[in-house]
Amino acid sequence: MKVLKLIIKNTWRHKLRTLLTILGIAIAVMAFGMLRTIITAWYAGVEASAANRIITHHRVSIIFQLPLTYREQIQHIPGVAGVSFANWFSGIYKDVNDWRNFFPRIAIENDAYFDLFPEIIISQEDRAAFAKERNGCIVGEKIAREHGFKTGDIIPLEGDIYPGHWEFVVRGFYKGRDATVDETVMFFHWKYLDEQVRQSQPGREVNVGWYVMRIQNPNDIPRISGTIDEMYLNSRASTKTETEKEFQQSFVSMSSAILTSINVISFVIIGIILLVLANTIVMAVRERTREYAVLKTLGFSKNHLIQLIGGESMVIALAGGVLGLVFTFPVAGGFAKAFPTFFPVFNVEPITITMAFGAAVVAGIAAATFPASRILRMKIVDGLRTLE
Amino acid sequence: MSLVSVQNVSKSYWRDSFEIPVLNNISFEISEGEFLGLMGPSGSGKTTLLNLIAGIDRPTEGAITVAGTDVTRLNESELAKWRARHVGFVFQFYNLIPVLTAFENVELPLLLSNLSKKERREHVEFALNVVGLEDRMHHYPKQLSGGQEQRVAIARAIVTDPTLLVADEPTGDLDKISAEEILKLLERLNTEFKKTIIMVTHDPRAAEKAHKLRHLDKGELS
């Protein structure tokens, strides 16, 4: 590109203006990247879902429980390779107003529950220790790091769904097979929950929040789901069976208004990038109208002028885009650190990088379009008459 | 031998719904190697005629042939290539690119050629040597005087060895001494390098340097 030198020199002609524009684009790209990362984080559970797991919960709402007896019937359905169940415990850990103290606490049937989740990695020792301890618990490494939990520590909780003071002994830790696995959950024995509730609230039954099934052949999922839901259609606790992905998606859809807003804002930011850049390029080209007329006079073609104006726009857009992406990683890291449990999986995904970079490129092209077309249409004699 | 032939050329501009005639049925010829001075009062159409011959504007009527090419029949793209190859421009206000050095400004027209970097360098150094500014080649326009800037502009105009050199009031923005230097330089380009030059001027001293003078008044040649 023979005009590259002129592109670079033109870009730095007004250093402060160029720097401010690059910085403006960088901040906008970073904001875009952060918002897209938040959206991705929101869908992390959906994306991490296994294709061979299904969930059965109460047809009306997950807050209604299912009878324990369903377990036996479900596990005999042909194609079901494994079944277990869990309950949402909730509870309050320390100061309820501090987001860091919120992490999911789930009562699980027993340690065999983990066999259904190969993405949850636990050492044999920890799993054995957990199995032995009635009020033992397994916690994710992320939440353990955040709160400094060590083996043998007691985690005190104040119950809300299940009132009372609860104490759980840390007996082990799990980590995710990859970055998409939530490492902020605390698992403990359902049996312990059942015993404690029977003692403290005689007459109250603890049943099952949801059943998890591993299916041998994912092609059988529609048939098995249909079979389960038909079995309990006219029972006192009719069921809804869905894939793990659909189950996770149902939680995400509860926040659809927020997600739509974030989505809209992220695209408004692209508009801001475009305006910031377009303003600079329009000003720069207007100031140099006479120079472009001179270049046309010397024989520079339309392609050369497009390269000059588009090139300057792209240099600024790409510099801002790259700088914005460089900013995005530490900011996202800081955000993830500040709110470790709010978004258990908070990674800047390649698609986010591609979109942010793409937004800068699109802005670069769009910002140059109007001033370039004006210069291309301009008559040389009119351009030469322009005052500098 | 005729290098430039202007045949029945008229030019009008439109301002809103008003037609403003600038040139009215002009015909004349310029021989190869000639140094023609175009004089006339403001608004007489001198610059317009120069622009038409140089291919940066189009006549409303008539034909202009330069070195055998009817420039009025070329499209925009062909005209741009033709200008790059055949015409060197010298403007009243120099019109150098401020972010480029004297060397880079002179090199600009050569970027459109197929010359290698080494060949471009040789051509630029030769052109700057002709205008006596080889020692200022790395200076930016703002580091040069007006006369020096115009000499760089002349070097830019001759670096491609064009068929025709057009100069629009080349001394109009210069002091007396600098203007004299520029006129001497143009005269040298004409006599020593056999360049055909068309110069628009108001200045009688500049006009004296031309071999031939044509006067324009109200769009008509006298």
Side-chain angles (χ1 to χ4, degrees), chain A residues 2-3 5-6 9-10 13 290-292 294-302 304 379-382 384-385 388, chain B residues 15 51 56-57 80 83-84 89 91 93 95 97-101 104 107-109 111-114 120 140 156:
Chain A
K2 287 176 175 175
V3 292
K5 187 188 276 183
L6 192 51
K9 290 202 170 192
N10 275 341
R13 198 181 279 207
R290 191 164 168 174
E291 287 174 30
Y292 292 119
V294 170
L295 292 175
K296 275 182 151 182
T297 305
L298 296 180
F300 279 75
S301 66
K302 288 183 174 181
H304 288 119
K379 286 183 178 173
I380 295 175
V381 287
D382 292 336
L384 289 174
R385 273 198 287 265
E388 284 185 349
Chain B
R15 291 283 177 267
N51 290 342
I56 58 175
D57 202 358
R83 281 196 304 270
F89 294 85
F91 303 96
F93 298 109
N95 284 338
I97 307 294
V99 286
L100 299 180
T101 62
E104 290 163 343
E107 191 188 20
L108 266 180
L111 295 177
L112 304 172
S113 69
N114 293 321
R120 291 205 303 268
Y140 286 92
R156 182 178 67 186

Short mmCIF file of all heavy atoms in Angstrom, two decimals, chain A residues 2-3 5-6 9-10 13 290-292 294-302 304 379-382 384-385 388, chain B residues 15 51 56-57 80 83-84 89 91 93 95 97-101 104 107-109 111-114 120 140 156:
data_model
loop_
_atom_site.label_atom_id
_atom_site.label_comp_id
_atom_site.label_asym_id
_atom_site.label_seq_id
_atom_site.Cartn_x
_atom_site.Cartn_y
_atom_site.Cartn_z
N LYS A 2 0.89 1.95 -1.17
CA LYS A 2 1.83 3.06 -1.32
C LYS A 2 1.46 4.27 -0.46
O LYS A 2 2.28 5.13 -0.19
CB LYS A 2 1.89 3.46 -2.80
CG LYS A 2 2.65 2.44 -3.64
CD LYS A 2 2.63 2.80 -5.09
CE LYS A 2 3.50 1.82 -5.88
NZ LYS A 2 3.42 2.05 -7.32
N VAL A 3 0.19 4.34 -0.07
CA VAL A 3 -0.23 5.51 0.70
C VAL A 3 -0.18 5.28 2.21
O VAL A 3 -0.62 6.12 2.99
CB VAL A 3 -1.66 5.95 0.29
CG1 VAL A 3 -1.69 6.48 -1.13
CG2 VAL A 3 -2.65 4.83 0.45
N LYS A 5 2.22 5.37 4.35
CA LYS A 5 2.95 6.40 5.12
C LYS A 5 2.06 7.62 5.37
O LYS A 5 2.03 8.17 6.47
CB LYS A 5 4.20 6.82 4.33
CG LYS A 5 5.11 7.75 5.11
CD LYS A 5 6.22 8.30 4.25
CE LYS A 5 7.38 7.34 4.18
NZ LYS A 5 8.51 7.90 3.39
N LEU A 6 1.32 8.01 4.32
CA LEU A 6 0.45 9.18 4.45
C LEU A 6 -0.71 8.89 5.43
O LEU A 6 -1.11 9.78 6.20
CB LEU A 6 -0.08 9.59 3.08
CG LEU A 6 -0.77 10.95 2.98
CD1 LEU A 6 0.07 12.06 3.58
CD2 LEU A 6 -1.12 11.27 1.54
N LYS A 9 0.79 9.19 8.88
CA LYS A 9 1.09 10.60 9.21
C LYS A 9 -0.20 11.39 9.43
O LYS A 9 -0.26 12.24 10.32
CB LYS A 9 1.94 11.23 8.12
CG LYS A 9 3.37 10.68 8.10
CD LYS A 9 4.33 11.62 7.43
CE LYS A 9 5.76 11.12 7.67
NZ LYS A 9 6.77 12.10 7.30
N ASN A 10 -1.21 11.12 8.61
CA ASN A 10 -2.49 11.82 8.79
C ASN A 10 -3.12 11.47 10.13
O ASN A 10 -3.70 12.32 10.81
CB ASN A 10 -3.47 11.43 7.67
CG ASN A 10 -3.26 12.28 6.43
OD1 ASN A 10 -2.67 13.36 6.50
ND2 ASN A 10 -3.73 11.80 5.30
N ARG A 13 -1.70 13.50 12.89
CA ARG A 13 -1.59 14.94 12.64
C ARG A 13 -2.11 15.73 13.84
O ARG A 13 -1.49 16.70 14.25
CB ARG A 13 -2.41 15.28 11.39
CG ARG A 13 -2.04 16.59 10.80
CD ARG A 13 -2.89 16.89 9.60
NE ARG A 13 -2.39 16.22 8.41
CZ ARG A 13 -2.59 16.69 7.18
NH1 ARG A 13 -3.25 17.82 6.99
NH2 ARG A 13 -2.15 16.05 6.13
N ARG A 290 -8.93 20.40 0.81
CA ARG A 290 -8.06 20.96 -0.23
C ARG A 290 -6.93 19.98 -0.59
O ARG A 290 -6.57 19.84 -1.76
CB ARG A 290 -7.49 22.27 0.26
CG ARG A 290 -6.80 23.05 -0.82
CD ARG A 290 -6.63 24.46 -0.33
NE ARG A 290 -5.75 25.21 -1.17
CZ ARG A 290 -5.55 26.49 -1.01
NH1 ARG A 290 -6.16 27.14 -0.05
NH2 ARG A 290 -4.74 27.14 -1.79
N GLU A 291 -6.41 19.31 0.46
CA GLU A 291 -5.33 18.35 0.19
C GLU A 291 -5.83 17.19 -0.67
O GLU A 291 -5.12 16.70 -1.55
CB GLU A 291 -4.77 17.81 1.51
CG GLU A 291 -3.93 18.83 2.25
CD GLU A 291 -3.50 18.35 3.61
OE1 GLU A 291 -3.32 17.12 3.77
OE2 GLU A 291 -3.36 19.19 4.51
N TYR A 292 -7.05 16.75 -0.39
CA TYR A 292 -7.59 15.66 -1.22
C TYR A 292 -7.80 16.14 -2.65
O TYR A 292 -7.60 15.38 -3.60
CB TYR A 292 -8.90 15.13 -0.62
CG TYR A 292 -8.68 14.41 0.70
CD1 TYR A 292 -9.26 14.85 1.89
CD2 TYR A 292 -7.86 13.28 0.77
CE1 TYR A 292 -9.04 14.21 3.09
CE2 TYR A 292 -7.64 12.62 1.97
CZ TYR A 292 -8.23 13.10 3.13
OH TYR A 292 -8.00 12.45 4.31
N VAL A 294 -5.93 18.33 -4.10
CA VAL A 294 -4.59 18.35 -4.69
C VAL A 294 -4.19 16.93 -5.11
O VAL A 294 -3.67 16.72 -6.22
CB VAL A 294 -3.56 18.92 -3.68
CG1 VAL A 294 -2.14 18.73 -4.18
CG2 VAL A 294 -3.84 20.40 -3.43
N LEU A 295 -4.47 15.97 -4.24
CA LEU A 295 -4.13 14.58 -4.58
C LEU A 295 -4.88 14.12 -5.83
O LEU A 295 -4.32 13.47 -6.69
CB LEU A 295 -4.45 13.65 -3.39
CG LEU A 295 -3.56 13.84 -2.16
CD1 LEU A 295 -4.05 12.95 -1.02
CD2 LEU A 295 -2.10 13.52 -2.47
N LYS A 296 -6.15 14.52 -5.91
CA LYS A 296 -6.92 14.18 -7.11
C LYS A 296 -6.28 14.83 -8.34
O LYS A 296 -6.16 14.21 -9.39
CB LYS A 296 -8.37 14.70 -6.98
CG LYS A 296 -9.32 13.76 -6.25
CD LYS A 296 -10.71 14.39 -6.26
CE LYS A 296 -11.80 13.36 -6.21
NZ LYS A 296 -13.14 13.94 -6.26
N THR A 297 -5.87 16.09 -8.18
CA THR A 297 -5.23 16.80 -9.29
C THR A 297 -3.98 16.06 -9.76
O THR A 297 -3.72 15.94 -10.95
CB THR A 297 -4.83 18.23 -8.83
OG1 THR A 297 -5.98 18.87 -8.33
CG2 THR A 297 -4.24 19.03 -9.96
N LEU A 298 -3.22 15.55 -8.79
CA LEU A 298 -1.97 14.86 -9.13
C LEU A 298 -2.22 13.51 -9.79
O LEU A 298 -1.30 12.87 -10.26
CB LEU A 298 -1.12 14.66 -7.88
CG LEU A 298 -0.60 15.92 -7.18
CD1 LEU A 298 0.22 15.56 -5.96
CD2 LEU A 298 0.23 16.77 -8.13
N GLY A 299 -3.48 13.06 -9.76
CA GLY A 299 -3.81 11.80 -10.43
C GLY A 299 -4.16 10.66 -9.49
O GLY A 299 -4.32 9.52 -9.94
N PHE A 300 -4.27 10.96 -8.20
CA PHE A 300 -4.66 9.91 -7.27
C PHE A 300 -6.11 9.49 -7.57
O PHE A 300 -6.98 10.34 -7.76
CB PHE A 300 -4.52 10.38 -5.82
CG PHE A 300 -3.10 10.31 -5.32
CD1 PHE A 300 -2.15 11.22 -5.74
CD2 PHE A 300 -2.71 9.29 -4.46
CE1 PHE A 300 -0.84 11.15 -5.30
CE2 PHE A 300 -1.39 9.21 -4.02
CZ PHE A 300 -0.46 10.14 -4.44
N SER A 301 -6.31 8.19 -7.62
CA SER A 301 -7.62 7.66 -8.04
C SER A 301 -8.58 7.60 -6.85
O SER A 301 -8.21 7.85 -5.71
CB SER A 301 -7.44 6.25 -8.60
OG SER A 301 -7.01 5.40 -7.56
N LYS A 302 -9.82 7.22 -7.18
CA LYS A 302 -10.83 7.06 -6.13
C LYS A 302 -10.37 6.01 -5.12
O LYS A 302 -10.55 6.16 -3.90
CB LYS A 302 -12.16 6.64 -6.74
CG LYS A 302 -12.84 7.74 -7.51
CD LYS A 302 -14.18 7.31 -8.05
CE LYS A 302 -14.87 8.51 -8.68
NZ LYS A 302 -16.18 8.21 -9.21
N HIS A 304 -7.36 5.24 -4.25
CA HIS A 304 -6.33 5.81 -3.36
C HIS A 304 -6.98 6.63 -2.25
O HIS A 304 -6.57 6.54 -1.09
CB HIS A 304 -5.37 6.70 -4.15
CG HIS A 304 -4.45 5.94 -5.05
ND1 HIS A 304 -4.43 6.10 -6.40
CD2 HIS A 304 -3.52 4.99 -4.78
CE1 HIS A 304 -3.53 5.30 -6.94
NE2 HIS A 304 -2.96 4.61 -5.97
N LYS A 379 -15.84 18.02 -6.78
CA LYS A 379 -15.11 18.43 -7.98
C LYS A 379 -13.76 19.01 -7.54
O LYS A 379 -13.70 19.74 -6.53
CB LYS A 379 -15.91 19.51 -8.73
CG LYS A 379 -17.10 18.98 -9.45
CD LYS A 379 -17.78 20.12 -10.20
CE LYS A 379 -18.96 19.61 -10.97
NZ LYS A 379 -19.72 20.71 -11.57
N ILE A 380 -12.73 18.74 -8.33
CA ILE A 380 -11.39 19.20 -7.95
C ILE A 380 -11.36 20.72 -7.80
O ILE A 380 -10.82 21.24 -6.81
CB ILE A 380 -10.35 18.76 -9.02
CG1 ILE A 380 -10.24 17.23 -9.03
CG2 ILE A 380 -8.99 19.39 -8.72
CD1 ILE A 380 -9.34 16.70 -10.14
N VAL A 381 -11.98 21.40 -8.75
CA VAL A 381 -11.93 22.87 -8.70
C VAL A 381 -12.61 23.41 -7.44
O VAL A 381 -12.18 24.41 -6.87
CB VAL A 381 -12.53 23.51 -9.97
CG1 VAL A 381 -11.60 23.33 -11.14
CG2 VAL A 381 -13.90 22.95 -10.28
N ASP A 382 -13.67 22.72 -6.99
CA ASP A 382 -14.34 23.16 -5.75
C ASP A 382 -13.44 22.89 -4.55
O ASP A 382 -13.33 23.70 -3.63
CB ASP A 382 -15.67 22.40 -5.57
CG ASP A 382 -16.69 22.79 -6.62
OD1 ASP A 382 -16.56 23.92 -7.15
OD2 ASP A 382 -17.59 21.99 -6.90
N LEU A 384 -10.17 22.74 -4.51
CA LEU A 384 -9.01 23.65 -4.49
C LEU A 384 -9.38 25.04 -3.99
O LEU A 384 -8.52 25.78 -3.51
CB LEU A 384 -8.41 23.76 -5.91
CG LEU A 384 -7.68 22.51 -6.42
CD1 LEU A 384 -7.26 22.69 -7.87
CD2 LEU A 384 -6.47 22.19 -5.55
N ARG A 385 -10.64 25.37 -4.11
CA ARG A 385 -11.09 26.69 -3.63
C ARG A 385 -11.32 26.71 -2.11
O ARG A 385 -11.49 27.76 -1.52
CB ARG A 385 -12.40 27.08 -4.32
CG ARG A 385 -12.18 27.79 -5.65
CD ARG A 385 -13.43 28.54 -6.06
NE ARG A 385 -14.46 27.63 -6.51
CZ ARG A 385 -14.66 27.31 -7.79
NH1 ARG A 385 -13.92 27.86 -8.73
NH2 ARG A 385 -15.60 26.47 -8.13
N GLU A 388 -8.04 26.55 3.95
CA GLU A 388 -7.51 25.63 4.96
C GLU A 388 -7.79 26.15 6.34
O GLU A 388 -7.90 27.32 6.53
CB GLU A 388 -6.01 25.43 4.75
CG GLU A 388 -5.77 24.51 3.57
CD GLU A 388 -4.31 24.16 3.38
OE1 GLU A 388 -3.44 24.78 4.01
OE2 GLU A 388 -4.04 23.27 2.57
N ARG B 15 -25.25 28.71 -10.75
CA ARG B 15 -25.44 29.07 -9.34
C ARG B 15 -26.94 29.17 -9.12
O ARG B 15 -27.58 30.06 -9.66
CB ARG B 15 -24.77 30.40 -9.00
CG ARG B 15 -23.28 30.37 -9.03
CD ARG B 15 -22.69 29.70 -7.79
NE ARG B 15 -21.24 29.63 -7.88
CZ ARG B 15 -20.54 28.59 -8.36
NH1 ARG B 15 -21.18 27.53 -8.82
NH2 ARG B 15 -19.23 28.60 -8.39
N ASN B 51 -7.61 25.28 -15.93
CA ASN B 51 -8.14 24.03 -15.38
C ASN B 51 -8.69 23.12 -16.47
O ASN B 51 -8.54 21.89 -16.39
CB ASN B 51 -9.26 24.33 -14.37
CG ASN B 51 -8.73 24.97 -13.10
OD1 ASN B 51 -7.54 24.90 -12.83
ND2 ASN B 51 -9.60 25.62 -12.34
N ILE B 56 -8.69 19.22 -15.08
CA ILE B 56 -9.31 19.13 -13.76
C ILE B 56 -10.72 19.75 -13.77
O ILE B 56 -11.38 19.82 -12.74
CB ILE B 56 -8.45 19.76 -12.62
CG1 ILE B 56 -8.14 21.22 -12.88
CG2 ILE B 56 -7.17 18.97 -12.44
CD1 ILE B 56 -7.40 21.88 -11.72
N ASP B 57 -11.15 20.16 -14.92
CA ASP B 57 -12.52 20.63 -15.08
C ASP B 57 -12.93 20.31 -16.52
O ASP B 57 -12.08 19.99 -17.35
CB ASP B 57 -12.58 22.15 -14.80
CG ASP B 57 -13.99 22.61 -14.43
OD1 ASP B 57 -14.91 21.76 -14.42
OD2 ASP B 57 -14.17 23.81 -14.16
N ALA B 80 -7.71 11.00 -14.59
CA ALA B 80 -6.78 11.00 -13.45
C ALA B 80 -5.44 10.43 -13.89
O ALA B 80 -4.37 10.99 -13.57
CB ALA B 80 -7.36 10.20 -12.29
N ARG B 83 -3.70 12.92 -16.25
CA ARG B 83 -3.10 14.05 -15.51
C ARG B 83 -1.78 13.63 -14.87
O ARG B 83 -0.79 14.35 -14.90
CB ARG B 83 -4.05 14.56 -14.41
CG ARG B 83 -5.16 15.43 -14.89
CD ARG B 83 -5.80 16.20 -13.73
NE ARG B 83 -6.28 15.32 -12.67
CZ ARG B 83 -7.50 14.81 -12.62
NH1 ARG B 83 -8.38 15.11 -13.56
NH2 ARG B 83 -7.86 14.01 -11.62
N ALA B 84 -1.81 12.43 -14.24
CA ALA B 84 -0.61 11.96 -13.55
C ALA B 84 0.56 11.83 -14.52
O ALA B 84 1.71 12.09 -14.17
CB ALA B 84 -0.89 10.61 -12.89
N PHE B 89 1.48 20.48 -12.02
CA PHE B 89 0.71 21.63 -11.52
C PHE B 89 1.53 22.47 -10.54
O PHE B 89 2.17 21.92 -9.64
CB PHE B 89 -0.54 21.15 -10.77
CG PHE B 89 -1.54 20.47 -11.65
CD1 PHE B 89 -1.42 19.11 -11.93
CD2 PHE B 89 -2.60 21.17 -12.21
CE1 PHE B 89 -2.33 18.48 -12.74
CE2 PHE B 89 -3.52 20.53 -13.02
CZ PHE B 89 -3.39 19.18 -13.29
N PHE B 91 0.59 25.66 -8.02
CA PHE B 91 -0.55 26.46 -7.53
C PHE B 91 -0.04 27.75 -6.88
O PHE B 91 1.11 27.83 -6.45
CB PHE B 91 -1.35 25.68 -6.48
CG PHE B 91 -1.86 24.35 -6.96
CD1 PHE B 91 -1.16 23.17 -6.71
CD2 PHE B 91 -3.05 24.27 -7.66
CE1 PHE B 91 -1.64 21.95 -7.13
CE2 PHE B 91 -3.54 23.04 -8.09
CZ PHE B 91 -2.83 21.88 -7.83
N PHE B 93 -0.90 28.86 -3.95
CA PHE B 93 -0.61 28.65 -2.51
C PHE B 93 0.14 27.33 -2.27
O PHE B 93 -0.04 26.68 -1.25
CB PHE B 93 -1.91 28.69 -1.71
CG PHE B 93 -2.61 30.03 -1.79
CD1 PHE B 93 -3.78 30.18 -2.50
CD2 PHE B 93 -2.04 31.16 -1.21
CE1 PHE B 93 -4.41 31.41 -2.60
CE2 PHE B 93 -2.66 32.39 -1.30
CZ PHE B 93 -3.84 32.53 -2.01
N ASN B 95 0.20 24.38 -2.05
CA ASN B 95 -0.56 23.14 -1.82
C ASN B 95 0.31 21.93 -1.55
O ASN B 95 0.10 20.85 -2.11
CB ASN B 95 -1.49 22.86 -3.00
CG ASN B 95 -2.70 23.78 -2.98
OD1 ASN B 95 -3.06 24.31 -1.92
ND2 ASN B 95 -3.32 23.98 -4.12
N ILE B 97 1.62 18.99 1.07
CA ILE B 97 0.99 18.25 2.19
C ILE B 97 1.83 18.51 3.44
O ILE B 97 3.02 18.16 3.47
CB ILE B 97 0.93 16.73 1.90
CG1 ILE B 97 0.26 16.46 0.53
CG2 ILE B 97 0.24 15.98 3.03
CD1 ILE B 97 -1.20 16.83 0.43
N PRO B 98 1.26 19.16 4.45
CA PRO B 98 2.08 19.63 5.58
C PRO B 98 2.75 18.54 6.40
O PRO B 98 3.76 18.79 7.06
CB PRO B 98 1.08 20.42 6.45
CG PRO B 98 -0.26 20.02 5.99
CD PRO B 98 -0.15 19.58 4.58
N VAL B 99 2.20 17.31 6.37
CA VAL B 99 2.80 16.26 7.21
C VAL B 99 3.89 15.48 6.47
O VAL B 99 4.49 14.56 7.03
CB VAL B 99 1.74 15.25 7.73
CG1 VAL B 99 0.90 15.87 8.81
CG2 VAL B 99 0.88 14.71 6.60
N LEU B 100 4.12 15.86 5.21
CA LEU B 100 5.18 15.19 4.45
C LEU B 100 6.36 16.12 4.27
O LEU B 100 6.19 17.34 4.13
CB LEU B 100 4.64 14.77 3.07
CG LEU B 100 3.46 13.79 3.06
CD1 LEU B 100 3.06 13.48 1.61
CD2 LEU B 100 3.79 12.51 3.80
N THR B 101 7.55 15.56 4.25
CA THR B 101 8.76 16.36 4.03
C THR B 101 8.80 16.80 2.57
O THR B 101 8.00 16.32 1.75
CB THR B 101 10.02 15.53 4.33
OG1 THR B 101 10.05 14.43 3.41
CG2 THR B 101 10.04 15.03 5.76
N GLU B 104 9.16 13.81 0.45
CA GLU B 104 7.93 13.01 0.34
C GLU B 104 6.88 13.71 -0.52
O GLU B 104 6.14 13.06 -1.24
CB GLU B 104 7.38 12.72 1.74
CG GLU B 104 8.25 11.74 2.52
CD GLU B 104 7.96 11.75 4.02
OE1 GLU B 104 7.33 12.71 4.51
OE2 GLU B 104 8.40 10.80 4.70
N GLU B 107 7.85 13.22 -4.00
CA GLU B 107 7.71 11.80 -4.37
C GLU B 107 6.25 11.41 -4.66
O GLU B 107 5.98 10.42 -5.34
CB GLU B 107 8.25 10.93 -3.20
CG GLU B 107 8.42 9.47 -3.56
CD GLU B 107 8.76 8.61 -2.35
OE1 GLU B 107 8.51 9.07 -1.22
OE2 GLU B 107 9.27 7.51 -2.55
N LEU B 108 5.30 12.19 -4.11
CA LEU B 108 3.87 11.83 -4.21
C LEU B 108 3.42 11.40 -5.62
O LEU B 108 2.85 10.32 -5.77
CB LEU B 108 3.00 13.01 -3.76
CG LEU B 108 2.54 13.03 -2.29
CD1 LEU B 108 1.70 14.28 -2.04
CD2 LEU B 108 1.73 11.80 -1.95
N PRO B 109 3.67 12.22 -6.66
CA PRO B 109 3.18 11.80 -7.99
C PRO B 109 3.83 10.50 -8.47
O PRO B 109 3.24 9.75 -9.23
CB PRO B 109 3.58 12.96 -8.90
CG PRO B 109 3.86 14.10 -7.99
CD PRO B 109 4.33 13.52 -6.71
N LEU B 111 4.42 7.93 -6.70
CA LEU B 111 3.79 6.76 -6.07
C LEU B 111 2.78 6.12 -7.02
O LEU B 111 2.42 4.97 -6.87
CB LEU B 111 3.10 7.16 -4.76
CG LEU B 111 4.00 7.66 -3.64
CD1 LEU B 111 3.17 8.07 -2.43
CD2 LEU B 111 5.01 6.61 -3.23
N LEU B 112 2.34 6.92 -8.00
CA LEU B 112 1.35 6.40 -8.96
C LEU B 112 2.02 5.69 -10.12
O LEU B 112 1.36 5.13 -10.98
CB LEU B 112 0.49 7.55 -9.48
CG LEU B 112 -0.23 8.38 -8.41
CD1 LEU B 112 -0.90 9.60 -9.03
CD2 LEU B 112 -1.24 7.54 -7.67
N SER B 113 3.36 5.74 -10.16
CA SER B 113 4.09 5.09 -11.26
C SER B 113 4.56 3.71 -10.81
O SER B 113 4.34 3.31 -9.67
CB SER B 113 5.29 5.95 -11.64
OG SER B 113 6.23 5.91 -10.58
N ASN B 114 5.21 3.01 -11.71
CA ASN B 114 5.72 1.68 -11.36
C ASN B 114 7.20 1.72 -10.99
O ASN B 114 7.87 0.68 -10.99
CB ASN B 114 5.53 0.72 -12.55
CG ASN B 114 4.06 0.45 -12.79
OD1 ASN B 114 3.29 0.32 -11.84
ND2 ASN B 114 3.67 0.43 -14.05
N ARG B 120 12.62 6.06 -7.66
CA ARG B 120 11.86 7.23 -7.16
C ARG B 120 12.80 8.21 -6.47
O ARG B 120 12.72 9.43 -6.66
CB ARG B 120 10.75 6.79 -6.21
CG ARG B 120 9.61 6.04 -6.87
CD ARG B 120 8.31 6.16 -6.06
NE ARG B 120 8.44 5.69 -4.70
CZ ARG B 120 8.17 4.46 -4.29
NH1 ARG B 120 7.76 3.56 -5.17
NH2 ARG B 120 8.28 4.13 -3.02
N TYR B 140 10.11 19.93 6.56
CA TYR B 140 8.65 19.97 6.36
C TYR B 140 8.28 21.35 5.81
O TYR B 140 9.02 22.32 6.03
CB TYR B 140 7.93 19.71 7.69
CG TYR B 140 8.01 18.27 8.11
CD1 TYR B 140 9.03 17.81 8.93
CD2 TYR B 140 7.08 17.34 7.64
CE1 TYR B 140 9.12 16.47 9.30
CE2 TYR B 140 7.15 16.01 8.00
CZ TYR B 140 8.18 15.57 8.83
OH TYR B 140 8.26 14.25 9.16
N ARG B 156 7.78 19.02 -7.45
CA ARG B 156 6.71 18.02 -7.50
C ARG B 156 6.06 18.00 -8.89
O ARG B 156 5.70 16.95 -9.41
CB ARG B 156 5.67 18.34 -6.43
CG ARG B 156 4.53 17.33 -6.37
CD ARG B 156 3.55 17.66 -5.27
NE ARG B 156 2.82 18.91 -5.55
CZ ARG B 156 1.98 19.50 -4.71
NH1 ARG B 156 1.75 18.96 -3.52
NH2 ARG B 156 1.37 20.62 -5.02
#
